[in-house]
Amino acid sequence: MYGSSTTMFDLRTVTAPVGAPELGLISAAVAELGQYYKLPTYVAGV
Amino acid sequence: MLAGANLIYGAGMLELGQTVSLEQLVIDNEIIAMCKRATRGIPVSEETIALDVIKAVKQTGNFIAQRHTKKYMGEEQSFPLLFSREMRGTWERKRGKRDLAEVAHEKVKEILRTHEVPPIDRDIREEILKVIKSFEKKEMH
């Protein structure tokens, strides 16, 4: 199993918001890596 | 959006468009900004990849203190106008526990109070009037 639950870090609020568009961008990249490795892949989000 | 539609309508609409809400409009504007940020993607170049910075920081250092991080943070990171990114405690203390509807209502009031519609350029205006006049002439005959 491959995957990652990653989002951006907002330095203004000092939080890691999972509702940010960056979560989608990063998860898309993680999914592509998973496909490349031919592994079942999980990402965060809805 | 990703399939290439030129216009996706519906901003501000409630009840299948039977109701239009200015508050919903500014909330939708926020969501649209997020979608646009996600579809814009990330510029990938030697400069933005910053391999030399990664090498210098390795696993033990911190990226936040890097000049490269500071430089690209402002232009690359998304930043919502209405949505709160604080944790609950901070939201309660600093944002007065205001929910999204209240924040949106404040934004609407501010826009209505301060926004000025930019006037149409004189030459464009004259061109539009010409088109209308020529159409009216045709209609009369």
Side-chain angles (χ1 to χ4, degrees), chain B residues 6-70:
Chain B
N6 296 110
L7 178 71
I8 303 169
Y9 80 96
M13 277 171 45
L14 293 170
E15 297 182 283
L16 300 162
Q18 289 190 65
T19 303
V20 168
S21 155
L22 294 179
E23 285 75 11
Q24 186 63 54
L25 187 62
V26 296
I27 293 167
D28 288 343
N29 181 55
E30 186 96 330
I31 296 166
I32 291 162
M34 285 173 63
C35 295
K36 283 169 90 172
R37 178 64 197 90
T39 50
R40 179 159 63 92
I42 299 165
V44 178
S45 66
E46 240 172 73
E47 165 62 16
T48 59
I49 286 284
L51 194 60
D52 49 337
V53 180
I54 297 170
K55 274 181 187 162
V57 172
K58 296 212 175 112
Q59 287 182 330
T60 49
N62 92 63
F63 283 99
I64 292 171
Q66 297 299 314
R67 196 170 296 151
H68 188 277
T69 306
K70 206 177 163 193

Side-chain angles (χ1 to χ4, degrees), chain A residues 8-13 15 17 19-22 25, chain B residues 34 37-38 41-42 64 73 76-79 85 87:
Chain A
M8 50 102 75
F9 186 68
D10 191 319
L11 288 167
R12 295 175 182 89
T13 54
T15 56
E22 281 85 347
L25 282 167
Chain B
M34 285 173 63
R37 178 64 197 90
I42 299 165
I64 292 171
M73 196 184 72
E76 283 303 322
Q77 277 203 332
S78 67
F79 182 64
R85 280 182 173 171
M87 301 302 263

Side-chain angles (χ1 to χ4, degrees), chain A residues 26-41:
Chain A
I26 295 165
S27 299
V30 170
E32 279 191 31
L33 282 168
Q35 304 248 341
Y36 173 78
Y37 295 129
K38 294 188 171 44
L39 288 169
T41 303

